[in-house]
Amino acid sequence: MSENVVCTGAVNSLKEVWEKRIKKYNEDLKREKEFQLKLVGIWEERVSLTKLREKVTREDGRVILKIEKEEWKTLPSSLVKLNQLQEWQLHRTGLVKIPEFIGRFQNLIVLDLSRNTISDIPRGIGLLTRLQELILSYNNIKTVPKELSNCASLEKLELAVNRDICDLPQELSNLLKLTHLDLSMNHFTTIPPAVLNMPALEWLDMGSNRLEQLPDTIERMQSLHTLWLQRNKITCLPETISNMKNLGTLVLSNNKLKDIPVYMEEMTNLRFVNFRDNPLKLEVTLPPCESIDEEEERELFGLQFMHTYIQESRRAGNQVNCSTTLPNSINADG
Protein backbone atom coordinates (compact mmCIF):
# COMPACT_ATOMS: atom_id res chain seq x y z
CA MET A 1 0.00 0.00 0.00
CA SER A 2 2.87 2.34 0.81
CA GLU A 3 4.25 1.71 -2.68
CA ASN A 4 0.94 2.88 -4.19
CA VAL A 5 1.05 6.06 -2.11
CA VAL A 6 4.62 6.78 -3.22
CA CYS A 7 3.70 6.13 -6.86
CA THR A 8 0.65 8.37 -6.69
CA GLY A 9 2.67 11.16 -5.06
CA ALA A 10 5.33 10.93 -7.76
CA VAL A 11 2.69 11.12 -10.52
CA ASN A 12 1.05 14.16 -8.90
CA SER A 13 4.40 15.91 -8.55
CA LEU A 14 5.25 15.18 -12.17
CA LYS A 15 1.80 16.43 -13.27
CA GLU A 16 2.24 19.64 -11.30
CA VAL A 17 5.65 20.26 -12.90
CA TRP A 18 4.23 19.74 -16.38
CA GLU A 19 1.22 21.98 -15.69
CA LYS A 20 3.54 24.77 -14.55
CA ARG A 21 5.69 24.31 -17.66
CA ILE A 22 2.63 24.36 -19.93
CA LYS A 23 1.26 27.46 -18.17
CA LYS A 24 4.62 29.24 -18.50
CA TYR A 25 4.86 28.18 -22.15
CA ASN A 26 1.38 29.53 -22.86
CA GLU A 27 2.15 32.80 -21.07
CA ASP A 28 5.40 33.16 -23.01
CA LEU A 29 3.54 32.38 -26.23
CA LYS A 30 0.90 35.02 -25.40
CA ARG A 31 3.55 37.65 -24.64
CA GLU A 32 5.37 36.80 -27.85
CA LYS A 33 2.13 37.10 -29.82
CA GLU A 34 1.31 40.46 -28.20
CA PHE A 35 4.83 41.67 -28.93
CA GLN A 36 4.54 40.61 -32.55
CA LEU A 37 1.15 42.31 -32.88
CA LYS A 38 2.63 45.45 -31.38
CA LEU A 39 5.49 45.33 -33.87
CA VAL A 40 3.01 44.82 -36.71
CA GLY A 41 0.97 47.77 -35.45
CA ILE A 42 4.04 49.97 -35.25
CA TRP A 43 5.08 48.88 -38.73
CA GLU A 44 1.61 49.49 -40.17
CA GLU A 45 1.49 52.95 -38.56
CA ARG A 46 4.90 53.77 -40.06
CA VAL A 47 3.75 52.57 -43.47
CA SER A 48 0.52 54.61 -43.15
CA LEU A 49 2.47 57.68 -42.05
CA THR A 50 4.79 57.28 -45.03
CA LYS A 51 1.76 57.11 -47.33
CA LEU A 52 0.27 60.19 -45.69
CA ARG A 53 3.53 62.11 -46.06
CA GLU A 54 3.28 61.45 -49.80
CA LYS A 55 -0.15 63.19 -49.77
CA VAL A 56 1.21 66.40 -48.26
CA THR A 57 1.53 69.30 -50.69
CA ARG A 58 2.11 73.03 -50.53
CA GLU A 59 -0.34 75.40 -52.15
CA ASP A 60 -0.49 79.17 -51.72
CA GLY A 61 2.00 78.91 -48.91
CA ARG A 62 -0.11 76.36 -46.96
CA VAL A 63 0.88 72.83 -45.95
CA ILE A 64 -2.03 70.64 -47.09
CA LEU A 65 -2.93 66.98 -46.62
CA LYS A 66 -4.98 66.09 -49.69
CA ILE A 67 -6.61 62.68 -50.26
CA GLU A 68 -9.36 61.94 -52.78
CA LYS A 69 -11.13 58.63 -53.47
CA GLU A 70 -8.71 56.47 -51.46
CA GLU A 71 -9.83 54.27 -48.57
CA TRP A 72 -8.84 55.74 -45.22
CA LYS A 73 -11.55 54.69 -42.75
CA THR A 74 -9.32 55.70 -39.83
CA LEU A 75 -6.25 57.87 -39.47
CA PRO A 76 -3.17 56.57 -37.58
CA SER A 77 -2.12 58.25 -34.33
CA SER A 78 1.33 58.74 -35.86
CA LEU A 79 -0.30 61.48 -37.97
CA VAL A 80 0.36 63.86 -35.06
CA LYS A 81 3.96 63.95 -36.28
CA LEU A 82 2.62 66.09 -39.15
CA ASN A 83 1.31 68.76 -36.80
CA GLN A 84 2.58 71.48 -39.12
CA LEU A 85 -0.39 70.80 -41.40
CA GLN A 86 -2.58 73.86 -42.02
CA GLU A 87 -5.27 72.22 -44.11
CA TRP A 88 -6.90 68.80 -44.44
CA GLN A 89 -8.78 67.89 -47.61
CA LEU A 90 -10.06 64.32 -47.31
CA HIS A 91 -12.92 63.53 -49.70
CA ARG A 92 -14.61 60.20 -50.48
CA THR A 93 -12.20 58.23 -48.31
CA GLY A 94 -14.80 56.36 -46.23
CA LEU A 95 -13.50 58.07 -43.09
CA VAL A 96 -15.80 57.01 -40.23
CA LYS A 97 -14.56 59.33 -37.49
CA ILE A 98 -12.56 62.44 -36.86
CA PRO A 99 -9.61 61.32 -34.70
CA GLU A 100 -9.71 62.30 -31.01
CA PHE A 101 -6.23 63.81 -31.38
CA ILE A 102 -7.53 66.43 -33.83
CA GLY A 103 -7.03 69.10 -31.15
CA ARG A 104 -3.25 68.68 -31.40
CA PHE A 105 -3.22 70.24 -34.87
CA GLN A 106 -3.03 73.80 -33.61
CA ASN A 107 -1.97 75.15 -37.02
CA LEU A 108 -5.12 73.97 -38.84
CA ILE A 109 -6.88 76.73 -40.79
CA VAL A 110 -9.11 74.55 -43.00
CA LEU A 111 -10.62 71.17 -42.10
CA ASP A 112 -12.52 69.78 -45.10
CA LEU A 113 -13.80 66.23 -44.54
CA SER A 114 -16.85 66.36 -46.79
CA ARG A 115 -18.30 63.28 -48.52
CA ASN A 116 -17.28 60.67 -45.97
CA THR A 117 -19.21 58.60 -43.38
CA ILE A 118 -18.40 60.58 -40.22
CA SER A 119 -21.07 60.28 -37.52
CA ASP A 120 -19.63 62.38 -34.68
CA ILE A 121 -17.68 65.57 -34.14
CA PRO A 122 -15.23 65.11 -31.22
CA ARG A 123 -15.24 67.68 -28.44
CA GLY A 124 -11.53 68.20 -29.07
CA ILE A 125 -12.52 70.22 -32.14
CA GLY A 126 -12.84 73.18 -29.78
CA LEU A 127 -9.06 73.28 -29.35
CA LEU A 128 -8.60 74.45 -32.95
CA THR A 129 -8.59 78.16 -32.16
CA ARG A 130 -7.04 79.10 -35.53
CA LEU A 131 -9.54 77.13 -37.62
CA GLN A 132 -11.30 79.35 -40.17
CA GLU A 133 -13.21 76.79 -42.26
CA LEU A 134 -14.91 73.58 -41.14
CA ILE A 135 -16.58 71.64 -43.97
CA LEU A 136 -18.40 68.45 -42.99
CA SER A 137 -21.12 68.26 -45.63
CA TYR A 138 -22.31 64.88 -46.96
CA ASN A 139 -21.65 62.85 -43.81
CA ASN A 140 -23.81 61.11 -41.16
CA ILE A 141 -23.54 63.65 -38.35
CA LYS A 142 -26.54 63.95 -36.00
CA THR A 143 -25.40 66.43 -33.36
CA VAL A 144 -22.93 69.30 -33.06
CA PRO A 145 -20.91 69.66 -29.82
CA LYS A 146 -21.05 72.94 -27.90
CA GLU A 147 -17.23 72.89 -27.80
CA LEU A 148 -17.25 74.03 -31.43
CA SER A 149 -18.05 77.48 -30.07
CA ASN A 150 -14.44 77.68 -28.84
CA CYS A 151 -13.20 77.86 -32.44
CA ALA A 152 -13.00 81.64 -32.17
CA SER A 153 -11.52 82.16 -35.66
CA LEU A 154 -14.21 80.17 -37.51
CA GLU A 155 -15.60 82.06 -40.52
CA LYS A 156 -17.17 79.27 -42.58
CA LEU A 157 -19.18 76.25 -41.37
CA GLU A 158 -20.81 73.76 -43.74
CA LEU A 159 -22.97 70.91 -42.42
CA ALA A 160 -25.14 70.36 -45.48
CA VAL A 161 -26.59 66.95 -46.36
CA ASN A 162 -26.11 65.22 -43.05
CA ARG A 163 -29.87 64.55 -43.07
CA ASP A 164 -30.41 64.18 -39.31
CA ILE A 165 -29.17 67.44 -37.73
CA CYS A 166 -32.19 69.20 -36.22
CA ASP A 167 -30.69 71.71 -33.78
CA LEU A 168 -27.53 73.57 -32.82
CA PRO A 169 -26.22 74.33 -29.31
CA GLN A 170 -26.93 77.86 -28.13
CA GLU A 171 -23.19 78.35 -27.46
CA LEU A 172 -22.53 78.59 -31.21
CA SER A 173 -23.81 82.18 -31.09
CA ASN A 174 -20.35 82.92 -29.62
CA LEU A 175 -18.82 82.38 -33.06
CA LEU A 176 -18.30 86.10 -33.56
CA LYS A 177 -16.47 85.79 -36.88
CA LEU A 178 -18.76 83.28 -38.59
CA THR A 179 -20.05 84.77 -41.86
CA HIS A 180 -20.99 81.67 -43.90
CA LEU A 181 -23.28 78.87 -42.65
CA ASP A 182 -24.72 76.00 -44.72
CA LEU A 183 -27.33 73.84 -42.96
CA SER A 184 -29.21 72.70 -46.06
CA MET A 185 -30.74 69.23 -46.41
CA ASN A 186 -31.12 68.41 -42.73
CA HIS A 187 -34.09 68.13 -40.32
CA PHE A 188 -34.47 71.67 -38.96
CA THR A 189 -38.04 72.73 -38.27
CA THR A 190 -37.08 76.32 -37.42
CA ILE A 191 -34.05 78.58 -37.58
CA PRO A 192 -32.12 77.77 -34.37
CA PRO A 193 -31.73 80.60 -31.80
CA ALA A 194 -27.95 80.17 -32.03
CA VAL A 195 -28.11 81.14 -35.72
CA LEU A 196 -30.38 84.13 -35.08
CA ASN A 197 -27.81 85.47 -32.62
CA MET A 198 -24.67 85.08 -34.75
CA PRO A 199 -23.60 88.73 -35.06
CA ALA A 200 -21.43 88.50 -38.20
CA LEU A 201 -23.49 86.03 -40.25
CA GLU A 202 -23.82 87.18 -43.89
CA TRP A 203 -24.73 84.03 -45.83
CA LEU A 204 -27.18 81.34 -44.66
CA ASP A 205 -28.54 78.30 -46.50
CA MET A 206 -31.37 76.39 -44.82
CA GLY A 207 -32.86 74.98 -47.98
CA SER A 208 -34.39 71.49 -48.07
CA ASN A 209 -35.26 71.31 -44.38
CA ARG A 210 -38.67 71.19 -42.66
CA LEU A 211 -39.23 74.87 -41.91
CA GLU A 212 -42.91 75.79 -41.68
CA GLN A 213 -42.51 79.34 -40.43
CA LEU A 214 -39.81 81.92 -39.78
CA PRO A 215 -39.42 83.44 -36.30
CA ASP A 216 -40.29 87.10 -35.70
CA THR A 217 -36.77 87.44 -34.34
CA ILE A 218 -35.33 86.83 -37.81
CA GLU A 219 -34.64 90.59 -37.92
CA ARG A 220 -31.75 90.01 -35.50
CA MET A 221 -29.62 88.87 -38.43
CA GLN A 222 -28.79 92.41 -39.48
CA SER A 223 -25.55 91.44 -41.24
CA LEU A 224 -27.25 88.85 -43.44
CA HIS A 225 -27.18 89.60 -47.17
CA THR A 226 -28.03 86.15 -48.60
CA LEU A 227 -30.75 83.79 -47.34
CA TRP A 228 -31.60 80.49 -49.04
CA LEU A 229 -34.89 78.90 -47.90
CA GLN A 230 -35.85 76.83 -50.95
CA ARG A 231 -37.65 73.48 -50.62
CA ASN A 232 -39.24 73.96 -47.22
CA LYS A 233 -42.87 74.21 -46.05
CA ILE A 234 -43.03 77.92 -45.24
CA THR A 235 -46.60 79.23 -45.43
CA CYS A 236 -46.14 82.85 -44.36
CA LEU A 237 -43.43 85.48 -43.85
CA PRO A 238 -43.18 87.53 -40.63
CA GLU A 239 -43.44 91.30 -40.95
CA THR A 240 -40.08 91.67 -39.20
CA ILE A 241 -38.33 90.32 -42.30
CA SER A 242 -38.73 93.81 -43.76
CA ASN A 243 -36.31 95.08 -41.09
CA MET A 244 -33.44 93.08 -42.58
CA LYS A 245 -31.97 96.10 -44.35
CA ASN A 246 -28.86 94.36 -45.69
CA LEU A 247 -30.68 91.40 -47.23
CA GLY A 248 -30.00 91.39 -50.98
CA THR A 249 -30.80 87.77 -51.97
CA LEU A 250 -33.84 85.84 -50.74
CA VAL A 251 -34.72 82.46 -52.25
CA LEU A 252 -38.16 81.08 -51.33
CA SER A 253 -38.85 78.70 -54.21
CA ASN A 254 -40.69 75.41 -53.55
CA ASN A 255 -42.50 76.46 -50.38
CA LYS A 256 -46.18 76.78 -49.36
CA LEU A 257 -46.56 80.54 -49.68
CA LYS A 258 -50.02 81.71 -50.74
CA ASP A 259 -49.23 85.42 -50.73
CA ILE A 260 -46.36 87.89 -50.97
CA PRO A 261 -46.80 90.40 -48.11
CA VAL A 262 -47.02 94.13 -48.82
CA TYR A 263 -44.29 94.99 -46.32
CA MET A 264 -41.69 93.35 -48.56
CA GLU A 265 -41.84 96.54 -50.62
CA GLU A 266 -39.87 98.15 -47.79
CA MET A 267 -36.89 95.85 -48.49
CA THR A 268 -35.22 98.28 -50.84
CA ASN A 269 -31.85 96.48 -50.82
CA LEU A 270 -33.31 93.31 -52.33
CA ARG A 271 -31.65 92.55 -55.64
CA PHE A 272 -32.76 88.97 -56.17
CA VAL A 273 -35.80 87.04 -54.94
CA ASN A 274 -37.35 83.80 -56.13
CA PHE A 275 -40.97 82.79 -55.48
CA ARG A 276 -41.10 80.02 -58.06
CA ASP A 277 -43.23 76.93 -57.30
CA ASN A 278 -45.35 78.39 -54.51
CA PRO A 279 -49.18 78.06 -54.46
CA LEU A 280 -49.71 81.83 -54.76
CA LYS A 281 -53.36 82.93 -54.90
CA LEU A 282 -52.98 85.47 -57.69
CA GLU A 283 -51.92 84.85 -61.25
CA VAL A 284 -49.72 87.74 -62.27
CA THR A 285 -48.66 88.68 -65.77
CA LEU A 286 -45.57 90.85 -66.00
CA PRO A 287 -45.60 93.83 -68.35
CA PRO A 288 -43.87 93.20 -71.69
CA CYS A 289 -40.14 93.83 -71.87
CA GLU A 290 -38.82 96.71 -73.91
CA SER A 291 -35.87 94.75 -75.32
CA ILE A 292 -34.66 91.19 -75.85
CA ASP A 293 -31.80 91.73 -73.39
CA GLU A 294 -34.24 92.81 -70.68
CA GLU A 295 -36.38 89.75 -71.30
CA GLU A 296 -33.38 87.42 -71.00
CA GLU A 297 -32.27 89.02 -67.74
CA ARG A 298 -35.70 89.05 -66.11
CA GLU A 299 -36.43 86.29 -63.59
CA LEU A 300 -40.05 85.24 -64.07
CA PHE A 301 -40.73 84.91 -60.33
CA GLY A 302 -38.16 87.48 -59.25
CA LEU A 303 -38.09 91.06 -58.02
CA GLN A 304 -40.32 92.59 -60.68
CA PHE A 305 -42.79 89.77 -60.19
CA MET A 306 -42.84 90.47 -56.44
CA HIS A 307 -43.66 94.16 -56.90
CA THR A 308 -46.30 93.42 -59.55
CA TYR A 309 -47.87 90.76 -57.33
CA ILE A 310 -48.05 93.16 -54.37
CA GLN A 311 -49.69 95.84 -56.54
CA GLU A 312 -52.26 93.35 -57.83
CA SER A 313 -52.85 92.03 -54.32
CA ARG A 314 -53.38 95.53 -52.96
CA ARG A 315 -55.96 96.21 -55.63
CA ALA A 316 -57.66 92.90 -54.86
CA GLY A 317 -57.59 93.73 -51.14
CA ASN A 318 -56.70 90.21 -49.99
CA GLN A 319 -53.45 90.78 -48.09
CA VAL A 320 -52.98 88.69 -44.95
CA ASN A 321 -50.47 89.61 -42.25
CA CYS A 322 -48.25 86.91 -40.82
CA SER A 323 -46.91 86.86 -37.28
CA THR A 324 -45.54 84.00 -35.26
CA THR A 325 -45.66 83.15 -31.59
CA LEU A 326 -42.51 81.35 -30.58
CA PRO A 327 -41.13 79.95 -27.31
CA ASN A 328 -39.38 82.32 -24.92
CA SER A 329 -36.12 80.51 -25.54
CA ILE A 330 -36.18 81.87 -29.10
CA ASN A 331 -37.40 85.36 -28.33
CA ALA A 332 -34.97 85.92 -25.45
CA ASP A 333 -31.69 87.67 -26.10
CA GLY A 334 -28.46 85.70 -25.99
Side-chain angles (χ1 to χ4, degrees):
M1 184 172 179
S2 60
E3 291 179 359
N4 290 337
V5 172
V6 171
C7 184
T8 301
V11 171
N12 288 337
S13 297
L14 185 62
K15 181 181 179 182
E16 185 178 347
V17 170
W18 274 107
E19 285 178 347
K20 287 181 179 179
R21 287 183 178 180
I22 291 172
K23 182 179 180 182
K24 185 177 184 303
Y25 174 78
N26 288 335
E27 289 174 350
D28 290 343
L29 193 64
K30 182 180 178 182
R31 281 194 293 269
E32 178 66 22
K33 187 175 181 180
E34 289 175 350
F35 181 69
Q36 290 178 357
L37 288 173
K38 187 176 181 180
L39 285 178
V40 170
I42 292 172
W43 175 253
E44 288 178 346
E45 285 231 337
R46 287 181 178 178
V47 171
S48 297
L49 182 60
T50 300
K51 290 181 179 179
L52 288 172
R53 287 184 190 276
E54 295 172 355
K55 306 298 180 182
V56 176
T57 62
R58 287 183 178 271
E59 296 179 14
D60 300 324
R62 288 187 184 178
V63 184
I64 303 173
L65 175 64
K66 184 180 292 188
I67 306 176
E68 182 92 21
K69 296 180 181 179
E70 290 184 20
E71 186 171 309
W72 287 86
K73 291 186 177 181
T74 59
L75 295 172
S77 58
S78 58
L79 181 59
V80 296
K81 294 180 180 180
L82 303 180
N83 59 9
Q84 78 278 14
L85 289 171
Q86 295 169 289
E87 187 169 337
W88 287 14
Q89 293 184 17
L90 276 66
H91 307 147
R92 295 184 174 90
T93 66
L95 189 68
V96 297
K97 64 181 296 185
I98 301 173
E100 294 293 335
F101 54 78
I102 187 67
R104 298 177 65 176
F105 289 83
Q106 292 292 303
N107 294 315
L108 268 185
I109 297 174
V110 176
L111 181 56
D112 184 352
L113 304 177
S114 55
R115 299 184 183 278
N116 285 291
T117 56
I118 298 166
S119 58
D120 294 296
I121 304 174
R123 290 182 296 176
I125 198 83
L127 297 173
L128 304 179
T129 55
R130 297 182 184 177
L131 191 67
Q132 296 176 12
E133 297 184 17
L134 177 59
I135 304 174
L136 295 172
S137 299
Y138 292 90
N139 277 286
N140 300 322
I141 296 166
K142 291 181 174 60
T143 59
V144 179
K146 63 181 181 180
E147 286 77 10
L148 182 59
S149 62
N150 296 324
C151 297
S153 301
L154 200 63
E155 299 175 2
K156 183 177 184 179
L157 175 60
E158 295 192 354
L159 296 167
V161 200
N162 277 279
R163 307 291 182 181
D164 291 327
I165 303 177
C166 61
D167 199 8
L168 295 178
Q170 179 62 51
E171 288 83 358
L172 293 197
S173 61
N174 294 326
L175 294 173
L176 304 182
K177 295 185 178 181
L178 193 71
T179 60
H180 177 110
L181 179 60
D182 190 347
L183 299 173
S184 60
M185 296 189 72
N186 281 291
H187 277 184
F188 291 94
T189 58
T190 187
I191 300 177
V195 176
L196 296 170
N197 293 319
M198 290 175 177
L201 196 62
E202 298 178 356
W203 192 99
L204 173 62
D205 190 346
M206 292 200 69
S208 298
N209 275 280
R210 298 181 177 183
L211 306 183
E212 294 184 2
Q213 62 183 19
L214 303 179
D216 289 334
T217 47
I218 194 171
E219 62 181 336
R220 289 183 179 179
M221 296 190 288
Q222 284 296 311
S223 298
L224 204 69
H225 62 63
T226 301
L227 179 57
W228 296 80
L229 297 169
Q230 72 283 359
R231 297 187 184 88
N232 279 287
K233 300 178 181 180
I234 300 169
T235 58
C236 206
L237 301 175
E239 186 170 356
T240 51
I241 198 171
S242 62
N243 295 327
M244 301 176 71
K245 302 304 181 184
N246 287 313
L247 196 62
T249 296
L250 176 60
V251 180
L252 289 159
S253 55
N254 289 95
N255 274 281
K256 304 296 182 182
L257 292 168
K258 294 182 179 180
D259 271 314
I260 301 174
V262 171
Y263 41 77
M264 290 194 70
E265 283 185 322
E266 302 171 19
M267 303 176 71
T268 55
N269 282 329
L270 273 181
R271 294 292 177 267
F272 179 84
V273 293
N274 191 332
F275 289 96
R276 186 182 295 277
D277 296 322
N278 277 279
L280 296 169
K281 291 179 180 178
L282 298 179
E283 291 186 9
V284 173
T285 302
L286 295 179
C289 297
E290 296 181 358
S291 66
I292 296 176
D293 291 339
E294 183 182 347
E295 185 174 355
E296 290 178 350
E297 291 178 1
R298 184 169 70 181
E299 166 59 45
L300 182 59
F301 290 89
L303 198 60
Q304 188 178 1
F305 172 84
M306 182 186 82
H307 288 296
T308 304
Y309 187 98
I310 290 173
Q311 292 169 9
E312 292 291 330
S313 180
R314 187 183 281 113
R315 281 194 287 268
N318 65 347
Q319 275 290 323
V320 178
N321 289 330
C322 179
S323 62
T324 56
T325 302
L326 297 171
N328 292 331
S329 61
I330 294 181
N331 288 321
D333 289 330

